[in-house]
Amino acid sequence: MTEKDLLYDTILARSFSKNEQKRLGYGAFVASLLFVFTLCTVFKPYLSPLPTVELQLPVNAGLRMLRITETQKPQASRSSSNATYGDSANLTIPTDQINITSNATTPHKLISSENHELSVFKNTSLPKNHLDSFNSTTNTTISKEQVVTEGNKLEKTMKPICKKLARTKICEINGDVRVHGKSATIHAAITFAFSGNSTWHIKPYARKGDVAAMERVREWTVKLEQNANLSRCVRNHSVPAILFSLGGYSMNNFHDFTDILIPLYTTARRFNGEVQFLVTNKNQPWINKFKGILKNLSNYELIYIDEEDETHCFSSVTAGLNRHREYYKELTIDPSDSEYSMSDFRKFLRDSYSLRNAAARPVTTRRNQRRRPRMLILARGRSRAFTNAGAIARAAKQIGFKVVVAEANADVASFAQTVNSCDVMLGVHGAGLTNMVFLPENAVVVQILPIGGFEWLAKTDFEEPSKGMNLRYLEYKIAAEESTLLRRYGRDHEVVRDPSAVGKRGWEMFQSVYLVQQNVSVDINRFRPVLVKAFELVQMQSV
């Protein structure tokens, strides 16, 4: 034993007895064990394996949202409901890795690309210090290769944002969507670098393929962009938006309905008024003309988006309008591609303009009294006008009709009331016949065809659509003697003798001759059987 050890034993002996020294040794040993146990208990959460992070980027019409779920195996720290935590996340992409920092906040819902609701909750079953350490100090890293691989898989299954149909193109964008009017751009936010097609161009008017019409429509650009590149929101909207154009052939009554109003109805009706209309190619007379329909489709004032330099933000934007999938379908709704029908649209019109007659009234009343059915003769102020409308009216009265002669005008509400009060509507082929949408069901439409080979137009524009409206259809094709073109060109001129040859020179030639220059003088004796047939069809309504 050294001198130092002897000195230490001497000092210890002076202070404690041998029994006290033993007890002191045991106490020190126990204290050491307690100290080690305490260290293990306090620092155990920090020493346990870090939770695995599952990165999911679900696609919702081309946009992605981030979801982080706890997949740690030890069940002691999981609630029985398997709730997930980390309901908000920031995604940053450095050169060599992706850092994901999770912050537990209040529950909210995410919508996946399959329209399933994904509820994300704070996991309160985890120890508070565990959550704190994960939120504030832990960066869980995923290799760049893993994210690129997953991103490639998602891009392959990504739903197209824009789709092309025969007569229209429509883009449906969901998520963080920002619309800038002056630049005609729709920005859609994404949270990752996207290598696929990220830009689309669209003219939101439902007559694709018609060069003359589409030249009058402003082109818009739809872009997928990462958040950092987006302009700041100035006006935030709580409802979805629909962008459509009032260019094209607007203010022609036929095109007003087949290119704009019917497509707008099928696109917007499902929102029950909770939708914001964004109008490009502002046309104030058109808006004034159809304000009754617009107010019944949207609860909000129109936004003339072309004039807006501020950025408008939405959770969903539809650019363009839906339309029948087949190219030569006019004034028609495709039942295979829409939850609505032309019967639904016509009921919507009756509600919008307070029209009383859903169906043609019986000619014989309950008191066995007979009423005179009403006939509307559509007058035209310019081309394809009746030059003997008075004679037609007198002949119809002799057969038993009460006759109204009127020309459609900008006061749609008033003229709709007139049309809806009639049992028969008669007119030369033209946009005025589009007012048959206001006729009651089982009413009769009589289309008069000028010379020039109008058969295909007559069938496509009014005969076929009348069936979808539950109307009865009659047709009368005039002879050359009933056209003013005979007096202008002579019987032997090609215009009268061979209209098909003129038509082969193109639509502009056909239009200028047969649509613009021609008026009609009906041969009453030749036309009378058509009036009689219309009267008989109305009589059948009373049976």
Side-chain angles (χ1 to χ4, degrees):
M1 183 177 292
T2 65
E3 182 177 321
K4 184 178 179 180
D5 292 334
L6 288 173
L7 179 60
Y8 176 80
D9 288 343
T10 303
I11 296 172
L12 191 64
R14 290 177 183 175
S15 303
F16 302 95
S17 66
K18 286 188 175 182
N19 291 333
E20 288 175 334
Q21 291 178 30
K22 287 183 179 180
R23 286 196 297 270
L24 183 60
Y26 294 147
F29 178 76
V30 172
S32 299
L33 292 177
L34 289 174
F35 179 75
V36 172
F37 180 79
T38 302
L39 286 176
C40 292
T41 303
V42 172
F43 291 96
K44 181 180 179 181
Y46 301 94
L47 299 175
S48 61
L50 290 175
T52 304
V53 175
E54 177 189 352
L55 176 62
Q56 297 180 350
L57 297 174
V59 181
N60 189 354
L63 302 181
R64 316 292 176 90
M65 292 177 290
L66 187 63
R67 177 185 177 216
I68 299 178
T69 57
E70 166 68 67
T71 59
Q72 185 178 350
K73 291 184 179 179
Q75 296 300 313
S77 62
R78 297 293 300 273
S79 65
S80 60
S81 62
N82 293 322
T84 60
Y85 71 94
D87 54 325
S88 69
N90 301 317
L91 181 61
T92 60
I93 308 180
T95 40
D96 58 344
Q97 63 183 20
I98 295 180
N99 298 323
I100 301 174
T101 305
S102 173
N103 300 306
T105 58
T106 54
H108 68 282
K109 291 180 179 179
L110 304 178
I111 306 299
S112 74
S113 58
E114 295 77 23
N115 294 324
H116 298 307
E117 289 187 349
L118 303 177
S119 297
V120 182
F121 299 92
K122 178 172 65 179
N123 190 347
T124 54
S125 67
L126 291 172
K128 185 177 187 303
N129 58 352
H130 191 152
L131 284 174
D132 290 344
S133 65
F134 183 76
N135 292 335
S136 60
T137 65
T138 303
N139 284 332
T140 303
T141 62
I142 300 175
S143 68
K144 183 178 180 180
E145 289 75 12
Q146 286 178 286
V147 174
V148 170
T149 301
E150 291 301 317
N152 291 339
K153 290 179 181 178
L154 289 169
E155 286 181 21
K156 290 179 181 179
T157 59
M158 182 176 175
K159 294 181 179 179
I161 287 181
C162 299
K163 62 180 180 179
K164 294 180 181 180
L165 301 178
R167 299 309 298 269
T168 190
K169 185 175 182 179
I170 186 168
C171 298
E172 296 176 327
I173 313 105
N174 299 301
D176 182 357
V177 189
R178 309 186 185 193
V179 181
H180 188 256
K182 284 201 171 180
S183 65
T185 306
I186 302 172
H187 300 273
I190 56 176
T191 57
F192 60 97
F194 181 63
S195 63
N197 181 29
S198 59
T199 303
W200 295 264
H201 299 285
I202 179 173
K203 290 188 174 185
Y205 183 77
R207 202 164 190 84
K208 183 169 69 72
D210 190 317
V211 176
M214 301 309 284
E215 284 179 348
R216 306 173 190 175
V217 180
R218 190 185 190 202
E219 185 176 79
W220 283 70
T221 301
V222 178
K223 290 184 177 181
L224 296 183
E225 295 193 62
Q226 290 183 269
N227 288 329
N229 300 325
L230 294 178
S231 57
R232 182 178 63 87
C233 289
V234 177
R235 293 185 60 182
N236 289 284
H237 300 265
S238 60
V239 296
I242 295 176
L243 170 71
F244 63 96
S245 170
L246 296 182
Y249 295 135
S250 63
M251 295 307 292
N252 173 290
N253 203 49
F254 175 77
H255 291 284
D256 288 339
F257 277 88
T258 198
D259 297 346
I260 303 175
L261 290 174
I262 294 175
L264 182 61
Y265 170 81
T266 58
T267 307
R269 188 57 173 166
R270 61 191 174 95
F271 295 106
N272 294 318
E274 288 302 301
V275 62
Q276 175 68 63
F277 289 158
L278 307 178
V279 172
T280 185
N281 302 113
K282 178 181 177 181
N283 187 334
Q284 194 60 52
W286 191 97
I287 294 168
N288 295 338
K289 180 179 179 181
F290 295 109
K291 59 185 178 183
I293 294 177
L294 295 174
K295 288 183 178 179
N296 214 17
L297 282 175
S298 173
N299 300 329
Y300 303 88
E301 290 294 325
L302 291 171
I303 295 177
Y304 307 119
I305 196 65
D306 294 344
E307 305 169 0
E308 293 292 310
D309 197 22
E310 298 178 338
T311 298
H312 292 255
C313 294
F314 302 88
S315 61
S316 175
V317 173
T318 300
L321 302 176
N322 207 359
R323 184 169 171 161
H324 200 290
R325 291 179 176 272
E326 296 183 35
Y327 193 87
Y328 291 110
K329 290 290 186 179
E330 308 283 6
L331 298 176
T332 304
I333 295 175
D334 185 359
S336 67
D337 192 44
S338 175
E339 57 187 302
Y340 303 104
S341 65
M342 280 303 294
S343 294
D344 296 325
F345 177 68
R346 279 163 41 80
K347 181 180 184 305
F348 167 78
L349 292 179
R350 292 195 296 269
D351 293 340
S352 298
Y353 292 112
S354 301
L355 306 180
R356 293 187 304 171
N357 299 319
R361 294 176 298 155
V363 176
T364 303
T365 66
R366 293 180 180 178
R367 296 181 180 180
N368 206 30
Q369 296 177 340
R370 296 182 66 82
R371 69 173 183 88
R372 290 167 66 87
R374 287 170 60 90
M375 171 180 281
L376 170 63
I377 298 176
L378 290 172
R380 291 178 63 94
R382 295 175 292 177
S383 63
R384 284 162 287 146
F386 288 117
T387 60
N388 62 338
I392 299 172
R394 288 190 295 273
K397 289 178 181 178
Q398 291 174 359
I399 291 172
F401 285 106
K402 184 177 181 179
V403 179
V404 178
V405 180
E407 183 176 1
N409 53 54
D411 188 353
V412 177
S414 175
F415 197 71
Q417 294 285 348
T418 300
V419 175
N420 185 251
S421 68
C422 294
D423 304 280
V424 178
M425 187 176 76
L426 180 155
V428 180
H429 174 86
L433 284 173
T434 309
N435 289 289
M436 68 184 185
V437 295
F438 301 118
L439 282 172
E441 290 191 2
N442 296 315
V444 180
V445 178
V446 181
Q447 180 175 202
I448 296 177
L449 276 60
I451 66 169
F454 278 82
E455 288 79 6
W456 65 277
L457 278 174
K459 183 179 183 67
T460 300
D461 293 352
F462 301 111
E463 180 182 355
E464 289 297 329
S466 69
K467 299 175 183 177
M469 301 181 198
N470 198 20
L471 302 173
R472 271 85 63 87
Y473 176 83
L474 296 175
E475 186 175 290
Y476 176 76
K477 184 178 179 181
I478 71 170
E481 291 77 12
E482 297 170 273
S483 171
T484 58
L485 293 177
L486 179 66
R487 293 190 294 272
R488 181 168 184 171
Y489 290 97
R491 181 178 297 277
D492 294 331
H493 195 281
E494 184 182 48
V495 166
V496 177
R497 177 177 46 81
D498 191 5
S500 61
V502 178
K504 290 177 181 178
R505 297 175 191 169
W507 171 256
E508 290 185 0
M509 176 62 75
F510 175 87
Q511 182 183 41
S512 65
V513 174
Y514 298 109
L515 295 180
V516 176
Q517 298 179 24
Q518 182 173 203
N519 287 323
V520 174
S521 180
V522 172
D523 183 332
I524 298 300
N525 291 329
R526 186 169 178 263
F527 184 57
R528 188 181 300 276
V530 178
L531 295 176
V532 172
K533 180 63 175 177
F535 191 80
E536 291 174 352
L537 289 175
V538 172
Q539 298 296 316
M540 292 172 58
Q541 183 64 24
S542 62
V543 178

